[in-house]
Amino acid sequence: MPANGVSKRNKTQVSMLTSRLVPTLTRVILERKWPWIPAADTLLDPHYLFQQQASPRPLFLSCAQWSNRQEPKQKRNLSEKKLKRYFVDHRRVFVTGGNGGNGMSCFHSEPRKEYGGPDGGDGGDGGHVILKADKHVRSLSSVLSVYRGFDGEPGGSKNCYGRNGDCLYIRVPPGTLVKEENEIVADLSQPGDEYIAALGGAGGKGNRFFLANDNRAPVTCTPGQQGQERVLYLELKTMAHAGMVGFPNAGKSSLLRAISNAKPAVASYPFTTLNPHVGIVHYEGYQQVAVADIPGIIRGAHQNRGLGFAFLRHIERCRFLLFVVDLSVAEPWTQLEDLKYELEKYEEGLSQRPHAIIGNKIDLPQSKVNFPQLQARLEQKVIPLSALTGENLEELLLHLKELYDDYVETEGKQGREPLNW
Ligand SMILES: Nc1nc2c(ncn2[C@@H]2O[C@H](COP(=O)(O)OP(=O)(O)OP(=O)(O)O)[C@@H](O)[C@H]2O)c(=O)[nH]1
Ligand SMILES: [Mg+2]
């Protein structure tokens, strides 16, 4: 007799019974799905059962082991493609006004009343699609690509008119330009400004409308008109106060994360940022400066290389620029020359906008060698800093405020309202 009191013969019998009770396939699936649960054979193994009776701990232990085996949840790397909260500064929108309701053709019907006359009502007008500037909206990201207005209701009998379709409002940020075939058709600069993007169709006429002296029983009624269809391009005049311009991997997104509450994706491969992100830097007296992280630009961007010249357009919409140079690469001054060349090729004078030059990654040993060489080649001061360690960020923040104050002053002199965020 074995030590645990179960004979080998008994064990074989129980095992055979288990095989009959639980089909093989089900067992395999169960064992794969819950590996911490002992195999069905083992469960009915008298040896195992005795062990369980002796100490109930193994079950709890297996749960604990399972939870230990699960790897700790790691913070997943942010991918730009998964980030939905990027800044949208231009949109193509297809708008269609609501259709008008059809007119009704019918005659008054009442007992003992012959020739009651026509009483078909008119259809309701279709609703307009209206663009409205709203100061609570910051970007065009909430604007969809297709809008269709509400239709008017058809006319009814007994001279009932159809209900007009409601107007459909599309909320856009103040400072939105509306373009149609490259022509500006509206400038929604102040909050509350409205522009009818698509007119709703007029409602059709009921047969009552056609009642005349020479025609006392008209049967004619007209259908409602179709709503207007238009393709409009919405563009923001200003995207942010400051725009960060730099080569891919220069550390623009890291810098925006360091100075503001924005959370653009950061990774060690080029072209991590595919869409602009805007972060707000807060100063004393509730002053806020908006800084945009713009996708990386390479030499030849104006010829559509890299991410193309679509991104140079974002730079155009920033009032002043922050050139971000990676100090750790060889000859960082060539980066600056290339960036200015590309901006100049895209639009003359763009590189001459008020700007600051930032030398990033000063924490790296190579940067400490390159920085004095870069500074020696430039008349303008370069701000050396590290977005990663936070070294010398204060100097950038002070310089940013100076650029902002100059911008407010210039706008004031020209009688324009500075962009308030
Ligand atoms: N050592 C060091 N590394 C940095 C610093 N700033 C950024 N990096 C690293 O540089 C890499 C690129 O940083 P990003 O912020 O994604 O660069 P980017 O300019 O936004 O790049 P794109 O989005 O591709 O244009 C990342 O691996 C960062 O960790 C810094 O100050 N010091
Ligand atoms: Mg980036």
Side-chain angles (χ1 to χ4, degrees):
M1 193 81 172
N4 58 11
V6 181
S7 71
K8 199 175 175 186
R9 204 169 128 228
N10 277 354
K11 206 172 160 182
T12 327
Q13 278 176 352
V14 174
S15 177
M16 279 167 63
L17 185 71
T18 324
S19 325
R20 272 186 227 153
L21 285 175
V22 187
T24 322
L25 185 64
T26 321
R27 269 192 296 141
V28 169
I29 292 170
L30 284 174
E31 282 158 22
R32 276 202 191 152
K33 200 162 182 191
W34 295 296
W36 71 94
I37 293 180
D41 281 353
T42 336
L43 264 178
L44 289 176
D45 185 336
H47 177 94
Y48 183 80
L49 288 176
F50 290 137
Q51 265 187 359
Q52 291 291 309
Q53 277 171 5
S55 154
R57 287 193 66 189
L59 183 63
F60 294 102
L61 271 180
S62 58
C63 290
Q65 275 166 5
W66 171 248
S67 59
N68 285 344
R69 258 172 45 187
Q70 278 188 326
E71 284 170 13
K73 276 183 191 161
Q74 280 180 354
K75 215 176 162 190
R76 262 185 262 140
N77 279 340
L78 276 174
S79 159
E80 172 78 8
K81 282 181 189 154
K82 285 183 190 154
L83 282 177
K84 296 266 166 11
R85 278 179 298 154
Y86 48 80
F87 196 88
V88 178
D89 60 352
H90 62 106
R91 265 274 198 259
R92 177 186 179 274
V93 198
F94 177 59
V95 278
T96 316
N99 293 337
N102 295 335
M104 180 77 170
S105 175
C106 64
F107 290 87
H108 186 76
S109 153
E110 204 180 305
R112 294 185 299 282
K113 191 170 179 185
E114 254 183 295
Y115 311 116
D119 70 349
D122 296 347
D125 295 335
H128 305 318
V129 180
I130 300 175
L131 293 165
K132 186 170 185 175
D134 185 338
K135 65 176 178 185
H136 300 295
V137 181
R138 277 279 138 239
S139 100
L140 294 171
S141 55
S142 57
V143 176
L144 306 176
S145 51
V146 179
Y147 284 95
R148 199 179 183 293
F150 297 104
D151 293 342
E153 284 177 15
S157 57
K158 298 178 189 161
N159 288 324
C160 285
Y161 281 29
R163 192 172 185 269
N164 289 344
D166 289 332
C167 289
L168 178 68
Y169 285 91
I170 308 172
R171 297 189 310 142
V172 292
T176 303
L177 286 181
V178 187
K179 288 187 179 175
E180 189 176 22
E181 290 170 1
N182 280 335
E183 260 186 43
I184 299 175
V185 289
D187 181 357
L188 308 174
S189 51
Q190 295 302 321
D193 284 356
E194 288 185 11
Y195 174 70
I196 300 181
L199 289 164
K205 299 293 181 196
N207 65 339
R208 164 87 201 194
F209 178 83
F210 297 98
L211 181 67
N213 284 340
D214 56 344
N215 186 2
R216 303 306 298 167
V219 287
T220 319
C221 63
T222 56
Q225 282 179 359
Q226 298 277 316
Q228 194 184 13
E229 287 184 359
R230 284 171 91 184
V231 178
L232 298 174
Y233 293 88
L234 308 181
E235 280 184 19
L236 286 189
K237 271 192 284 189
T238 311
M239 188 168 103
H241 297 117
M244 281 202 266
V245 188
F247 266 53
N249 258 346
K252 301 177 292 299
S253 306
S254 310
L255 198 54
L256 188 69
R257 274 175 165 254
I259 60 172
S260 76
N261 51 355
K263 294 277 173 280
V266 168
S268 54
Y269 53 85
F271 301 117
T272 313
T273 306
L274 299 173
N275 295 290
H277 292 256
V278 176
I280 308 294
V281 184
H282 297 266
Y283 287 97
E284 266 183 10
Y286 302 106
Q287 280 185 318
Q288 297 182 335
V289 181
V291 182
D293 169 24
I294 294 161
I297 286 164
I298 55 168
R299 197 171 174 98
H302 74 278
Q303 290 163 337
N304 226 1
R305 279 192 64 211
L307 290 179
F309 53 72
F311 295 95
L312 293 166
R313 196 166 49 190
H314 300 307
I315 301 168
E316 195 188 340
R317 297 194 191 123
C318 297
R319 298 299 114 205
F320 42 91
L321 306 176
L322 303 174
F323 287 106
V324 184
V325 177
D326 183 352
L327 288 178
S328 65
V329 299
E331 301 185 354
W333 48 90
T334 51
Q335 282 182 38
L336 199 63
E337 284 163 14
D338 286 352
L339 288 174
K340 287 192 173 176
Y341 173 79
E342 288 304 321
L343 296 199
E344 213 49 41
K345 279 277 163 196
Y346 178 72
E347 189 189 301
E348 237 180 78
L350 191 55
S351 67
Q352 301 306 318
R353 283 216 180 146
H355 61 265
I357 301 170
I358 297 159
N360 191 27
K361 308 195 185 179
I362 194 68
D363 56 303
L364 298 175
Q366 188 56 39
S367 309
K368 297 212 164 74
V369 180
N370 287 343
F371 170 62
Q373 294 177 15
L374 174 66
Q375 185 61 87
R377 284 166 188 263
L378 298 171
E379 286 172 12
Q380 196 177 344
K381 187 174 167 8
V382 180
I383 306 169
L385 52 80
S386 168
L388 201 68
T389 61
E391 196 181 328
N392 208 21
L393 280 182
E394 303 78 28
E395 198 181 337
L396 167 66
L397 293 176
L398 287 174
H399 205 82
L400 187 66
K401 183 73 173 49
E402 278 172 23
L403 283 169
Y404 175 72
D405 289 341
D406 290 348
Y407 157 71
V408 173
E409 205 183 310
T410 324
E411 292 292 286
K413 274 183 196 161
Q414 291 173 358
R416 287 198 300 246
E417 269 287 299
L419 171 76
N420 274 327
W421 212 264

